[in-house]
Amino acid sequence: MDFTLKTFIFYGFALLTIASALAVVTVRNIVHAAFALMVTLFGVAGLYVFLQADFLAATQVIVYVGGILVLILFGVMMTSGRLEMRIHIERGQLLLGGGISLALLMLLLTVIANTPKWENLTDDGTAFAPTTKRIGELILKEHFLLPFEVASVLLLVALIGAALISRKEVRE
Amino acid sequence: MPEIFSEGFFPNINLQDETNWATDFVRDVIIPRLPEAVAGHFSLELGTVLVMLVCAGIFVAVVPLLPLFLVLAERKVAARFQNRTGPMRVGPWGTLQTLADGIKLIFKEDYIPPQGDKLLFLLAPYIIFACSFAVFAAIPFGQNILVSDFNIGIFYIMAISSVIVMGVIMAGWSSNSKWSLLGSLRSAAQIVSYEIPLGLSILTVVMLVESLGMRDIVNSQSGGIFTWLIFRTPFTFIAFFIFFISSIAEVNRTPFDLPEAESEIVAGFHTEYSGMRFALFFIAEYANMFAVSAIAVTLFLGGYEGVLPGYDFLGGFPGFVIKTLGLVFLMMWLRWTLPRLRVDQLMNLCWKYFIPISFFNILGTGIWGLIFKKDDVWSIGISCVIIYVGLISAYAVAGRNLARKPEPQPS
């Protein structure tokens, strides 16, 4: 594999993602962790661009950074007075968590090992095709219509539930 | 069924280096002019990156000049509305006042609150600044004045501008001041809420154009003023106003300036900032204001296309800037005319009016697209008649309600 500028940028993004992800789990300050998560999500969006999934990259930023992370920060700022937390970990939890992590690692390694032409994803000479149309067709016309509708109904239920819980009952 | 996201509308942007415009520029213009000895060793990729960096540099250098002008304009407009003259001392008619203020800000002490979170405090202005500038990369200023024509252009703009919230929260939290935190929480709630009607009104445009690319959106409005998307259907006409008002809320300007309400929380999320960092917030705010106006012009008011097809009146780069500055003036006009909304009024306006109307707009646009397969004289004529009748009746209803005298209060 020749070392072009593209590989340089790719490894930049990969490094950014991994370093900030490490920061998320090691940093004590919970707000710092949330902001490190922002960098991670950005890095992943950059990797999506490398996979020619531009629509997915923008969606990643809108949904995760602009939506979910803002909610997480709201929760952190509104609820916790102490920001530095020592989380006590039992040995049983450690074993269980370690086991699950190891299984996940094995799964990912298997996928990586079984993916053909791993390094040629953007360099195989095919023209970059816009993904928006294909995604729209898949979700609204073809295979994924049912999961899409189920997810939207689920979100609607969550929305109504949240409104119901947060609503003050007025009895007059 | 109208084929949404049809293939032909997408420009084929290639991530491969061979079709990149910067690469073309390097290969066709720069390399032939290099001396023989250097040309052989000149890397095409490095040249591409250099050309792109120079273009980005031009933007980063030019865009801060915009606030320089806009701040002065704002002060002059405010002065006019209040029957004053505004700044008059520095330079002819006070035209150099902003420059003097900028230099003053550079020389001021850069104070960092000792109880705050230093790292985040230092980072926050850069996040906001970088995001408001990244938006400019996708705005088509003219036929050939466009940094990058993404095929997801408008979606990219939405994504990048949604990150500004993170900078606001970061600034507010790291200052360790209750005013800052209150301001940033208000700002975040406001921006997250108003993003929904904003996105939904963009969607009406995307449905009609069948593309997310900014250049496609402008090109579909090339047939003169009546093909501008604002007049194309009655629904886009409504969507334009929802878009514009939501944009004002997005950039935190009066009547939606609760995050920066001077009378309540000092200056909101940038209370603790001083010197150049404060200036960065200020520049970003005005750059943002220009950017949202430019997006509104691109989406609804024809972008760089003129009033008449084939003529350049209100078209091209000057026309684009004139239209954008017109909207910016409208924002200033509103700022110095209307009082600030209360929090509950703000949220009511967004969730109870704008979002349902936006959904209605999307439904209506879809039905419109089914009835009129393509835009011709008939569809645009009917649309304009509906808009005209709607405006007249709205004017009549509003006039009757305003003319009704309030009940005399018992004294």
Side-chain angles (χ1 to χ4, degrees), chain A residues 29 32, chain B residues 110-126 170-171 173-176 273 277:
Chain A
N29 189 324
H32 283 188
Chain B
D110 182 17
Y111 182 74
I112 298 165
Q115 264 82 44
D117 192 315
K118 191 172 172 203
L119 177 71
L120 295 184
F121 189 83
L122 296 183
L123 269 178
Y126 297 115
M170 206 187 245
W173 184 79
S174 64
S175 302
N176 196 20
Y273 282 86
R277 289 180 205 286

Side-chain angles (χ1 to χ4, degrees), chain A residues 4-5 31-32 35 38 42 49 54-55 58-59 61-62 65-66 69-70 73-74 77 83 122 128 130 132-133, chain B residues 5 10 12-13 15-16 45 49 117 120 127 151-152 155 159 162-163 165-166 169-170 173 181 185 188 212:
Chain A
T4 57
L5 206 85
V31 176
H32 283 188
F35 283 116
M38 177 179 92
F42 251 115
V49 173
D54 48 355
F55 186 81
T59 314
V61 172
I62 280 193
V65 179
L69 208 51
V70 171
L73 279 170
F74 256 70
M77 287 179 187
L83 293 160
T122 53
F128 166 64
T132 321
K133 182 192 176 194
Chain B
F5 307 128
F10 287 102
N12 222 355
I13 297 184
L15 284 183
Q16 308 297 313
E45 263 189 339
V49 172
D117 192 315
L120 295 184
I127 289 191
N151 69 324
I152 54 160
F155 200 52
S162 74
V163 179
V165 177
M166 293 300 292
I169 294 179
M170 206 187 245
W173 184 79
L181 188 60
L185 286 182
L212 292 163

Side-chain angles (χ1 to χ4, degrees), chain A residues 4 7 9 22 25 34 37 46 62 112 117 125 149 151 165-166 171:
Chain A
T4 57
T7 41
I9 298 174
L22 271 177
V25 287
L37 188 60
I62 280 193
I112 290 171
K117 282 186 168 184
E149 290 297 328
I165 291 169
S166 64
R171 290 219 184 89

Side-chain angles (χ1 to χ4, degrees), chain B residues 15-179:
Chain B
L15 284 183
Q16 308 297 313
D17 289 336
E18 291 79 45
T19 55
N20 192 311
W21 60 268
T23 317
D24 289 345
F25 184 74
V26 171
R27 192 176 46 222
D28 301 339
V29 181
I30 293 185
I31 289 190
R33 274 158 217 213
L34 286 174
E36 198 95 352
V38 188
H41 303 288
F42 197 76
S43 152
L44 210 57
E45 263 189 339
L46 190 68
T48 308
V49 172
L50 283 180
V51 167
M52 286 188 146
L53 277 180
V54 168
C55 289
I58 291 171
F59 258 82
V60 174
V62 168
V63 177
L65 294 179
L66 212 69
L68 209 66
F69 163 72
L70 287 181
V71 171
L72 182 77
E74 170 112 44
R75 294 177 71 173
K76 284 290 186 189
V77 168
R80 276 285 150 210
F81 276 94
Q82 296 167 352
N83 208 3
R84 298 182 282 121
T85 52
M88 288 297 273
R89 296 290 169 84
V90 190
W93 301 287
T95 38
L96 297 176
Q97 181 66 46
T98 329
L99 201 63
D101 287 345
I103 293 169
K104 184 195 79 177
L105 280 173
I106 292 174
F107 285 119
K108 273 178 107 176
E109 185 194 353
D110 182 17
Y111 182 74
I112 298 165
Q115 264 82 44
D117 192 315
K118 191 172 172 203
L119 177 71
L120 295 184
F121 189 83
L122 296 183
L123 269 178
Y126 297 115
I127 289 191
I128 295 181
F129 192 74
C131 290
S132 13
F133 277 69
V135 167
F136 280 89
I139 296 177
F141 289 95
Q143 188 74 48
N144 292 313
I145 316 173
L146 170 58
V147 177
S148 184
D149 187 21
F150 307 102
N151 69 324
I152 54 160
I154 186 66
F155 200 52
Y156 159 83
I157 288 178
M158 281 196 70
I160 288 295
S161 47
S162 74
V163 179
I164 293 178
V165 177
M166 293 300 292
V168 169
I169 294 179
M170 206 187 245
W173 184 79
S174 64
S175 302
N176 196 20
S177 145
K178 52 190 160 199
W179 311 127

Side-chain angles (χ1 to χ4, degrees), chain B residues 9 11 14 23 42 99 114 126 128 177 182 199 261 264 358 366 391 395 399:
Chain B
F9 271 99
N14 203 324
T23 317
F42 197 76
L99 201 63
Y126 297 115
I128 295 181
S177 145
L182 275 175
E264 300 166 21
S358 300
L391 276 182
Y395 181 74

Side-chain angles (χ1 to χ4, degrees), chain A residues 98-119:
Chain A
I100 292 175
S101 305
L102 209 64
L104 204 61
L105 182 70
M106 293 311 291
L107 179 73
L108 286 176
L109 283 179
T110 328
V111 170
I112 290 171
N114 288 335
T115 306
K117 282 186 168 184
W118 182 253
E119 72 274 19

